[in-house]
């Protein structure tokens, strides 16, 4: 049980961390979510139409665009769901979990490889709805209220998702991307880290020689190559809303009748990012990867690779 001053210290560190992490993560999500096809698109009549959305090639270019169009408030989109979810987790487990929402995402209690795997999957399942809502908060062009949660949820979730919240878990390919991500880290990178660098930070007998550290960094680079595309795909799938009716299957996008009475946009002139047409959704993990490569180029799958790399470096004792 935390004492009063421990709680104050935790809240202070939480505020500082969120103040830094939320803008950086928000820009990363928009950078990865931005739809930037390299060729012409077909309209409803089959005619070729040039892409008219923003073309952003760098992370800092996206940061500059967010600030130019939406100002400081745009950089802090998604702070409320991030704050609430992080605060609940931090207060529930005390000092066992860092107050940062994503920085230490690769760490889990040392409970053996299968215990760690189950723990990681369980935490992912608990956090998935909040992550989906946070990503949609960040990428929506609409201005959301900080304190009117119900109105914001009507904007971010489809009528189907509000009636059946569990359908978020059935978003095509999303769970597969998240579970595969966990498998690579827990069953691949973590055992290699233990073998080369020791079991944990408290393992004083670990022999972290420069050679072993160099070998581990090679595996970190290889893991970055595998994990970054999964994170980009997961971002695209998380912001893809689920519409369903008796006439459509679970991935058909039922746009008509789905709009809410929202009049205010976050930007005054144009949207910060371009989003893919909901009438032509990704239908799975492999389909998403193929379409990204075909429509936008393979380099799109490696947007923000350095964020993943830095996160993996945090696993070094």
């Amino acid at each position: 049980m935390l004492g009063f001053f421990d709680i104050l210290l935790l809240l202070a560190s939480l505020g500082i961390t969120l103040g830094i992490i939320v803008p950086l993560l928000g820009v990363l999500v928009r950078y990865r979510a931005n739809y930037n096809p390299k060729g012409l698109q077909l309209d409803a009549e089959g005619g070729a139409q040039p892409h008219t959305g923003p073309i952003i090639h760098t992370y800092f270019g996206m940061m500059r665009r967010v600030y130019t169009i939406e100002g400081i408030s745009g950089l802090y989109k998604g702070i409320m769901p991030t704050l609430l979810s992080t605060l609940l987790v931090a207060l529930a487990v005390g000092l066992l979990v860092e107050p940062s929402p994503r920085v230490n995402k690769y760490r889990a209690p040392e409970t053996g490889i299968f215990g760690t795997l189950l723990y990681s999957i369980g935490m992912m399942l608990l956090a998935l709805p909040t992550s989906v809502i946070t990503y949609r908060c960040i990428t929506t062009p609409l201005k959301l209220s900080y304190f009117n949660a119900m109105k914001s949820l009507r904007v971010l979730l489809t009528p189907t998702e509000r009636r059946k919240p569990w359908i978020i878990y059935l978003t095509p390919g999303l769970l597969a991307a998240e579970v595969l991500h966990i498998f690579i880290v827990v069953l691949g990178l973590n055992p290699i880290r233990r073998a080369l660098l020791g079991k944990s930070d408290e393992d004083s007998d670990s022999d972290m020689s420069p050679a072993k550290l160099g070998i581990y960094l090679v595996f970190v680079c290889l893991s970055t190559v595998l994990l970054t595309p999964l994170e980009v795909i997961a971002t695209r799938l998380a912001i893809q809303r689920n519409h369903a009716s008796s006439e459509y299957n679970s991935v058909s996008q039922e746009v008509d009748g789905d709009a809410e009475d929202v009049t205010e946009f976050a930007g005054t002139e144009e949207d910060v990012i371009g989003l893919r047409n909901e009438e032509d959704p990704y239908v799975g993990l492999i389909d998403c990867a193929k379409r990204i490569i075909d429509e936008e180029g393979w380099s799109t799958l490696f947007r923000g690779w350095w964020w993943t790399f830095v996160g993996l470096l945090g696993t070094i004792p």
Side-chain angles (χ1 to χ4, degrees), residues 169-179 233-234 237 282-286:
Y169 289 100
L170 303 180
T171 301
L174 181 57
L175 269 182
E178 295 288 355
V179 171
I233 290 171
L237 295 175
Y282 302 118
V283 296
L285 173 64
I286 302 300

Side-chain angles (χ1 to χ4, degrees), residues 114-188:
F114 292 108
T116 301
L117 182 63
L118 292 176
Y119 169 85
S120 300
I121 293 177
M123 291 299 294
M124 179 272 293
L125 292 175
L126 289 175
L128 188 63
T130 304
S131 297
V132 168
I133 291 174
T134 301
Y135 283 14
R136 293 183 186 181
C137 281
I138 293 170
T139 56
T140 180
L142 302 174
K143 187 175 183 179
L144 302 176
S145 170
Y146 284 105
F147 302 104
N148 192 338
M150 296 308 298
K151 181 178 180 180
S152 297
L153 289 177
R154 287 197 299 271
V155 174
L156 300 174
L157 302 177
T158 66
T160 299
E161 291 172 332
R162 295 198 300 271
R163 289 193 302 267
K164 304 175 181 178
W166 60 86
I167 203 172
I168 291 177
Y169 289 100
L170 303 180
T171 301
L174 181 57
L175 269 182
E178 295 288 355
V179 171
L180 186 55
H181 189 289
I182 291 172
F183 269 65
I184 292 174
V185 173
V186 175
L187 300 182

Side-chain angles (χ1 to χ4, degrees), residues 135-277:
Y135 283 14
R136 293 183 186 181
C137 281
I138 293 170
T139 56
T140 180
L142 302 174
K143 187 175 183 179
L144 302 176
S145 170
Y146 284 105
F147 302 104
N148 192 338
M150 296 308 298
K151 181 178 180 180
S152 297
L153 289 177
R154 287 197 299 271
V155 174
L156 300 174
L157 302 177
T158 66
T160 299
E161 291 172 332
R162 295 198 300 271
R163 289 193 302 267
K164 304 175 181 178
W166 60 86
I167 203 172
I168 291 177
Y169 289 100
L170 303 180
T171 301
L174 181 57
L175 269 182
E178 295 288 355
V179 171
L180 186 55
H181 189 289
I182 291 172
F183 269 65
I184 292 174
V185 173
V186 175
L187 300 182
L189 188 62
N190 282 359
I192 294 173
R193 174 179 61 84
R194 293 189 185 97
L196 293 174
L197 306 181
K199 292 184 178 181
S200 65
D201 298 342
E202 291 79 18
D203 189 1
S204 58
D205 296 329
S206 61
D207 180 18
M208 190 188 301
S209 65
K212 289 183 178 180
L213 181 59
I215 294 173
Y216 181 69
L217 288 177
V218 171
F219 281 102
V220 167
C221 293
L222 293 176
S223 298
T224 301
V225 173
L226 296 175
L227 295 176
T228 304
L230 288 175
E231 293 176 1
V232 172
I233 290 171
T235 300
R236 294 292 182 94
L237 295 175
I239 65 174
Q240 177 174 284
R241 304 193 306 162
N242 295 280
H243 309 253
S245 68
S246 58
E247 292 82 14
Y248 294 84
N249 60 36
S250 61
V251 297
S252 294
Q253 302 302 298
E254 183 187 16
V255 178
D256 295 338
D258 190 36
E260 297 289 340
D261 295 330
V262 180
T263 58
E264 189 172 3
F265 286 80
T268 56
E269 298 180 357
E270 57 181 327
D271 296 341
V272 174
I273 64 173
L275 297 176
R276 202 168 183 277
N277 192 340

Side-chain angles (χ1 to χ4, degrees), residues 10-155:
L10 179 62
L11 293 177
S13 62
L14 174 64
I16 295 173
T17 302
L18 290 179
I20 298 173
I21 292 297
V22 168
L24 297 178
L25 178 60
V27 173
L28 178 71
V29 170
R30 296 206 214 205
Y31 180 46
R32 288 175 167 175
N34 184 44
Y35 181 62
N36 185 24
K38 57 185 178 181
L40 298 177
Q41 298 176 285
L42 298 180
D43 57 21
E45 289 75 27
Q49 295 290 335
H51 177 63
T52 57
I55 300 177
I56 308 296
H57 296 293
T58 66
Y59 175 89
F60 291 102
M62 180 61 72
M63 179 180 289
R64 182 167 54 252
R65 181 174 176 83
V66 172
Y67 179 77
T68 300
I69 296 178
E70 296 184 356
I72 292 294
S73 62
L75 292 173
Y76 282 91
K77 267 189 170 182
I79 190 172
M80 291 307 292
T82 302
L83 173 63
L84 292 175
S85 61
T86 306
L87 183 61
L88 289 175
V89 172
L91 292 179
V93 299
L95 300 178
L96 296 178
V97 174
E98 294 288 339
S100 169
R102 300 289 287 183
V103 170
N104 288 325
K105 60 182 286 188
Y106 300 106
R107 289 191 181 275
E110 298 288 346
T111 57
I113 189 169
F114 292 108
T116 301
L117 182 63
L118 292 176
Y119 169 85
S120 300
I121 293 177
M123 291 299 294
M124 179 272 293
L125 292 175
L126 289 175
L128 188 63
T130 304
S131 297
V132 168
I133 291 174
T134 301
Y135 283 14
R136 293 183 186 181
C137 281
I138 293 170
T139 56
T140 180
L142 302 174
K143 187 175 183 179
L144 302 176
S145 170
Y146 284 105
F147 302 104
N148 192 338
M150 296 308 298
K151 181 178 180 180
S152 297
L153 289 177
R154 287 197 299 271
V155 174

